[in-house]
Amino acid sequence: MYVRTLTLRDFRSWDQVDLELSPGRTVFLGANGNGKTNLVEAVGYLSTLGSHRVSSDTPLIRLGAQRSRIGATVVNAGRELRVDMELNQGSANRAQINRSPVRRTREILGILQTVLFAPEDLALVRGDPSERRRFLDELCTARLPRLAGVRSDYDRVLRQRSALLKTAGRQARSRSGQAAELSTLDVWDGHLATHGAELLAQRLRLVHDLYPHLEQSYRSIAPESRTASIRYRSGYLPPEYLDPARDPQPEDVEVLEAIIVSELAQARPKELERGVCLVGPHRDDLELMLGSAPAKGFASHGESWSFALALRLSAFELLRGMGTDPILMLDDVFAELDRRRRTALAAVAATAEQVLITAAVPEDVPAELEATPLRVETTGEADERTSHIADQVSPTTS
Ligand SMILES: Nc1ncnc2c1ncn2[C@@H]1O[C@H](COP(=O)(O)OP(=O)(O)O)[C@@H](O)[C@H]1O
Ligand SMILES: [Mg+2]
């Protein structure tokens, strides 16, 4: 697939831009702070309903504006779809597909698929488990958009159950009536297990499908290094479920649900004592291994970068295997990579249907990619600085 037009209104440093894009490789060139990453962040938002840089939408809305608009025309196997998002300050966001409002913004998921590799990705290797859970969940959702609903149900149940654990725990300690809370808690255990098992089953399936790609991607980037592998980590699942080579079965969901219910029952006293939910996919992690050592803590800077890149490239291969190339977005990453890793990344980028690249200078981008340059500038002072696309430096065709 590819993005044919991108329209922004009051998104970050862009007050308005209407971009025509082609398949193939485009590089946004410009000095730091000119608004290049903001462009790929906007495209990424349409594909994940979130930013890779911030967890709330407020920073995305241009300073002084009430709302932001992001729109794109997406061409997938000759078929065009228009998708629009409106991010509102202080009220719910809204979305449209082909100019018709949809009931829930998450209905747009799946129309635009992206894989973004960015400097922030070092946190995939070195950061908290939440970074890796997000990686898994975004990729699961790209494969199966209805999982967005499961994730949001799970998050809601988790919040409500955690609040209940806190009040029930307090009451247990003060020995006042707690029977009502405890039976309500049983109901929430059931909901948590139902949604949790569905999410868990998809994550396990993803790790199973991803791990051969990951191993291969890492080898192509860092052939001299030890073998990279991934494995799902969970404190409450029997070990056989964590083996990435195990073929997921359709009946897994029910089994996982039963496991969560029984583990919740066991954990109940500790949960009441601590007031937190101790069992469920929100506690899990993706283990990244180099040889027999965990990448986190053991991998060098270069190896960590290679691992992060391998995770993104394997995500790209996996989505590509579903029939259409996701849009590959490479944010300021070539300059960070040594020659071998640049070449490996360029090899994938050369075959992707559309690649959006950001770089400070053309020399940062491998020449063999023959990327079409678009120069990004800013005008204005301080908070009023506004990004623009300058005339194309030297329009090329490929
Ligand atoms: N909500 C916002 N309103 C106005 N400007 C913003 C907003 N968020 C970020 N910016 C500006 O965007 C610029 C950074 O853009 P970015 O795309 O990250 O630059 P780069 O070209 O280095 O990738 C900064 O100048 C920052 O002040
Ligand atoms: Mg940038």
Side-chain angles (χ1 to χ4, degrees):
M1 64 174 67
Y2 69 96
V3 173
R4 193 173 62 72
T5 68
L6 176 68
T7 308
L8 302 181
R9 295 289 179 274
D10 292 322
F11 184 87
R12 295 255 199 205
S13 57
W14 295 87
D15 68 341
Q16 58 167 329
V17 66
D18 297 273
L19 267 179
E20 295 272 334
L21 297 165
S22 344
R25 291 151 305 277
T26 301
V27 55
F28 301 108
L29 291 171
N32 271 340
N34 275 8
K36 308 179 298 291
T37 301
N38 295 342
L39 290 173
V40 294
E41 186 178 37
V43 176
Y45 194 99
L46 292 179
S47 100
T48 62
L49 295 180
S51 154
H52 70 291
R53 297 198 283 192
V54 285
S55 54
S56 93
D57 291 344
T58 308
L60 307 179
I61 300 172
R62 188 165 161 76
L63 288 170
Q66 284 306 305
R67 65 182 54 80
S68 243
R69 293 202 176 85
I70 315 171
T73 317
V74 183
V75 185
N76 188 352
R79 234 181 102 224
E80 276 202 8
L81 276 178
R82 167 84 200 181
V83 26
D84 287 277
M85 264 306 295
E86 185 181 280
L87 313 184
N88 291 305
Q89 193 84 261
S91 64
N93 294 342
R94 288 191 294 209
Q96 298 185 338
I97 299 175
N98 285 340
R99 309 283 184 196
S100 306
V102 291
R103 230 161 63 81
R104 295 208 161 94
T105 54
R106 62 177 188 249
E107 287 173 41
I108 70 168
L109 291 170
I111 294 177
L112 179 56
Q113 291 197 337
T114 58
V115 169
L116 167 64
F117 181 51
E120 286 78 7
D121 284 338
L122 202 52
L124 279 177
V125 182
R126 300 200 159 169
D128 292 342
S130 62
E131 304 279 350
R132 291 175 290 279
R133 287 195 296 267
R134 185 163 75 131
F135 169 79
L136 291 176
D137 289 347
E138 282 183 355
L139 193 49
C140 282
T141 308
R143 301 210 301 169
L144 188 70
R146 72 160 189 87
L147 204 70
V150 176
R151 285 166 66 190
S152 108
D153 288 342
Y154 183 79
D155 290 344
R156 183 176 43 80
V157 169
L158 182 63
R159 273 196 308 277
Q160 290 176 335
R161 189 176 179 279
S162 305
L164 194 61
L165 276 174
K166 286 199 177 69
T167 38
R170 261 199 307 275
Q171 294 190 352
R173 283 189 290 279
S174 69
R175 295 177 204 288
S176 59
Q178 46 160 318
E181 271 77 15
L182 291 184
S183 70
T184 320
L185 207 46
D186 288 341
V187 177
W188 287 110
D189 285 10
H191 294 319
L192 191 90
T194 309
H195 303 306
E198 242 187 298
L199 180 57
L200 202 47
Q202 289 307 322
R203 285 191 190 165
L204 292 172
R205 183 175 292 277
L206 173 66
V207 174
H208 172 73
D209 293 344
L210 193 64
Y211 91 95
H213 291 295
L214 181 274
E215 196 184 312
Q216 200 185 349
S217 293
Y218 189 83
R219 196 175 312 115
S220 71
I221 300 162
E224 74 293 345
S225 177
R226 289 158 293 169
T227 303
S229 61
I230 52 173
R231 189 184 174 88
Y232 196 71
R233 178 161 46 205
S234 161
Y236 52 90
L237 287 184
E240 67 265 26
Y241 283 91
L242 305 177
D243 180 356
R246 174 184 179 273
D247 228 334
Q249 302 299 313
E251 60 274 15
D252 281 359
V253 182
E254 280 107 84
V255 182
L256 294 170
E257 190 174 335
I259 293 174
I260 297 178
V261 168
S262 96
E263 291 288 321
L264 280 171
Q266 279 194 34
R268 177 75 64 89
K270 219 190 267 174
E271 288 193 321
L272 285 169
E273 196 184 302
R274 294 174 47 184
V276 284
C277 185
L278 296 172
V279 177
H282 66 288
R283 307 279 298 182
D284 299 348
D285 198 354
L286 179 69
E287 217 167 64
L288 314 179
M289 305 285 292
L290 275 181
S292 56
K296 189 176 178 174
F298 284 87
S300 69
H301 184 77
E303 287 170 330
S304 299
W305 257 107
S306 297
F307 215 125
L309 177 56
L311 284 167
R312 294 301 181 193
L313 290 183
S314 54
F316 181 86
E317 294 299 337
L318 195 69
L319 293 177
R320 162 180 269 187
M322 290 172 64
T324 180
D325 279 9
I327 293 144
L328 184 61
M329 303 197 292
L330 307 173
D331 183 27
D332 221 3
V333 291
F334 281 110
E336 286 269 2
L337 301 175
D338 61 22
R339 201 174 53 82
R340 167 130 41 208
R341 285 178 291 161
R342 279 168 76 110
T343 310
L345 183 54
V348 176
T351 66
E353 185 171 354
Q354 186 175 49
V355 190
L356 306 178
I357 303 165
T358 76
V361 289
E363 298 73 56
D364 284 346
V365 183
E368 69 264 31
L369 284 180
E370 297 176 349
T372 305
L374 285 179
R375 211 149 37 83
V376 177
E377 297 178 339
T378 48
T379 51
E381 295 295 317
D383 280 359
E384 305 281 292
R385 283 193 350 150
T386 302
S387 300
H388 305 276
I389 298 284
D391 293 341
Q392 295 188 4
V393 189
S394 58
T396 55
T397 47
S398 48

